[in-house]
Every structure is written in C-alpha cells, then in structure tokens.
Amino acid sequence: MQAIWKGSVSFGLVTIPVKVYAATQEKDVAFRQVHATDGGRIRYRRICEIEGEEVPYSDIAKGYELPDGEMVVLTSDELSELPLPTRHIVEVLEFVPAEEIDPIYVSRSYYLQADGPAAKPYVLLRDALRRTGQTALVKVALRNREALAMLRPKDDVLVLQTMLWPDEVRDGSFAAPAADVEVRPQEVAMAESYIQTLETTFDPDRYHDEYRAALEQVIEAKTAGREVEVPKAAPAKGEVVDLMAALQASVDEARRQRGEAPAESGGRATRQPAAKKAATKKAPAKKTAAKKTAAKKATTKTTKKAPAKKAQKAPARKSA
C-alpha cells in the first residue's frame, strides 16, 4: 500500500514522524457511459473554448473566476507550495472527550504508521489517548487542503479522521418536527422495548451491500445470456393508524426474526398489557366484595327486625 502523505505529529515538544495511508476503500460496481443502441463508449474531449482545440491533461490548471469574469490561473506547483504550517506537520491543538465530537463532522479516515525510529513516541501517544479517553484535535494539510481532524487510537493503530469545518455543516433545525407534536409515555415505552429487542454489540461483518450483490447478479445473468429474474416487490405498507399496535407488531416481528417467541414479560412494552390483564382479573373480586356487603346489609336488617317480634309476643304472655 502506498502512503499518501509523509510528515510528523507535533505532540508538545515530541515529534513523531509518520506515514499516512487511506483507511477506507469504497467498493461499487463501475459503469461506463455507452451508446444504448450499440454499446459504443462515450468519450469526452477537453476543448479550450478560446482556441477551439483539444487540450492535453498536462496543460490543464485550476482557475478561480472573479465577479467580473476574469480568470485567475493557479498551477499545481503554486498550489503545492502554499505557505501552510500544517503542510508537513499534524499539529495537535487540544484534547477533548471522544463522545463530544458529533459524527456528522467526520469526513475521511487514515491510518498513521510510525516512520523510522518513531515507534516509542507513537505508542506513548496511542496509549495515553486510550487511558485518558481523550481525542486529539489536530490540523493537517492533505491533498492541498488544510483540514481539522481528530487523532484517536483504534486497536493498536492511531487513526487520523479529517473533519468538516463548522461552516460546512448545514443547520438542520428546518427538518425538526413542530414543537407541539407529543407522544404518550406508553408509546415511548413501546419504542424503547423495540430498541431493547434489537440491542446487540456492533459487528460490521453482519452487514452486506445487497444492492451491489444484486447488480453483480444482473451482470452475470446478462453475460451468460440468461433472463434476468426480477424479485417480487414487497407489499407496500399502509399508513400507520394505531401507533401502539404498529410498535407492538414491530417488537413481535423483531423477536420472531431472532428466533424468539413473543413474550408477555421482560420488556416495558409487554408490562402494560400484563397490567391490564391483572386489572381484569381483579374485577370479579369487586363483585365478591359487593356480594359480601349485600349479605352484611341483609344480616343487619334481620337483626333489627328480631327485637320487634319479641316486643309483640311479650304483651301476649302478660294478658294470659
């Protein structure tokens, strides 16, 4: 693998010579632009609009257009010789807790390799970052552009992740729902139950690019002269009317896919129906209590009537 940058990490008074390598590689099915009727390749020519002639790539430079239309031409040599102090130095600015950096700022990732006799200070910085849980905020100039970046340990390697500048991240407040939208605590509890059902540890090997795999199958089929089989489209999901019912169905489906049977206990979402069942079971107890109360009233009435009968019999004995 070829290094894309060589320089040093400036860690206080410690200098760590490093080589920088691209840490990621995007994989996709490459296409060519072709003529649909005969498959002929579509070619683009670099034509100068002033001379009307094709220009070789070696004669192409970068131009910045001024408001009046005048073009300022910058050559590759001029761009590579910009007076940037970070052109060959990864300058550590400060250290911040890793969880405070929003992932929206992350742009590209690179591996840093100790260059020459820099292994010891490299390991020193790596282990110190790991022990403190801090991330180093740095500045670095890669590919003729200065970037804010963070330096952090990953396994046994230091990873440099370039970041967007604050003015490059758009304000997302326009996408937030209206402030008067409310959800019930029961709905939040059900959603939490769904999250808990799918909760696991992160293992990137579990996920695959199904779109790329489908494209490769189509290309293979057309190459072999086979008919391309189009899978049946999944039925469209209807509009959610009962949010609680939809969440409960989601929990049950998630459990089914994990090979688990829907359970009536073990999650917040299932405790609520259980409470309702318990309330239903207690209802007959209220009726029994009502019967006991009625029996007590009847006994009380009978007790009150008994003295009245004795009072009627007493005078009869005296007259005899």
Side-chain angles (χ1 to χ4, degrees), residues 284-300:
K286 291 181 180 179
K287 292 181 180 180
T288 306
K291 289 181 180 180
K292 290 181 179 179
T293 305
K296 286 181 180 179
K297 289 182 179 179
T299 306
T300 305

Side-chain angles (χ1 to χ4, degrees), residues 44-316:
Y44 290 92
R45 300 174 63 199
R46 297 175 292 273
I47 304 297
C48 175
E49 64 178 14
I50 295 177
E51 298 179 351
E53 300 290 336
E54 185 173 0
V55 180
Y57 190 80
S58 58
D59 290 347
I60 295 178
K62 294 183 182 293
Y64 179 81
E65 187 174 2
L66 299 177
D68 60 359
E70 183 182 354
M71 196 71 67
V72 178
V73 179
L74 297 173
T75 65
S76 57
D77 291 337
E78 290 171 333
L79 290 173
S80 63
E81 295 174 0
L82 287 174
L84 287 175
T86 55
R87 197 154 59 95
H88 296 293
I89 297 288
V90 179
E91 180 187 359
V92 176
L93 305 176
E94 54 191 8
F95 298 92
V96 299
E99 61 272 12
E100 289 188 4
I101 302 177
D102 193 310
I104 197 172
Y105 286 98
V106 178
S107 178
R108 292 184 177 273
S109 301
Y110 302 90
Y111 291 135
L112 265 61
Q113 181 187 49
D115 189 14
K120 186 171 182 177
Y122 182 100
V123 171
L124 172 66
L125 177 58
R126 181 198 67 192
D127 292 352
L129 289 173
R130 181 181 292 120
R131 282 175 172 270
T132 59
Q134 298 288 304
T135 293
L137 280 183
V138 305
K139 269 187 176 182
V140 61
L142 293 175
R143 304 184 186 279
N144 296 327
R145 184 185 180 191
E146 187 176 62
L148 186 67
M150 59 180 179
L151 190 61
R152 64 177 183 83
K154 181 185 182 300
D155 300 328
D156 294 331
V157 182
L158 282 174
V159 175
L160 179 75
Q161 293 182 287
T162 57
M163 302 168 61
L164 301 173
W165 295 103
D167 59 355
E168 294 179 314
V169 178
R170 295 175 176 172
D171 181 12
S173 58
F174 71 93
D180 58 351
V181 176
E182 295 183 1
V183 292
R184 295 180 296 162
Q186 299 92 327
E187 294 168 339
V188 176
M190 186 69 76
E192 290 177 356
S193 178
Y194 178 68
I195 293 172
Q196 291 168 1
T197 304
L198 294 181
E199 186 178 357
T200 184
T201 55
F202 178 62
D203 179 8
D205 292 332
R206 284 199 299 264
Y207 312 105
H208 306 281
D209 187 351
E210 296 182 5
Y211 179 78
R212 177 157 55 101
L215 274 178
E216 291 172 348
Q217 289 178 2
V218 170
I219 293 171
E220 182 182 354
K222 292 181 73 70
T223 303
R226 301 194 308 268
E227 184 178 352
V228 178
E229 298 182 3
V230 180
K232 294 182 179 179
K237 297 181 180 179
E239 184 180 355
V240 176
V241 178
D242 188 340
L243 188 57
M244 284 292 290
L247 287 169
Q248 181 63 66
S250 300
V251 172
D252 292 343
E253 176 62 18
R255 294 182 67 88
R256 185 190 66 78
Q257 290 182 0
R258 293 167 68 100
E260 303 174 5
E264 296 185 359
S265 61
R268 294 185 182 181
T270 54
R271 287 174 192 167
Q272 205 164 14
K276 290 182 179 179
K277 289 182 180 180
T280 307
K281 290 180 180 179
K282 289 180 180 179
K286 291 181 180 179
K287 292 181 180 180
T288 306
K291 289 181 180 180
K292 290 181 179 179
T293 305
K296 286 181 180 179
K297 289 182 179 179
T299 306
T300 305
K301 289 180 181 179
T302 306
T303 306
K304 289 180 179 178
K305 288 180 180 180
K309 290 180 180 180
K310 290 179 181 178
Q312 291 176 358
K313 289 180 180 179

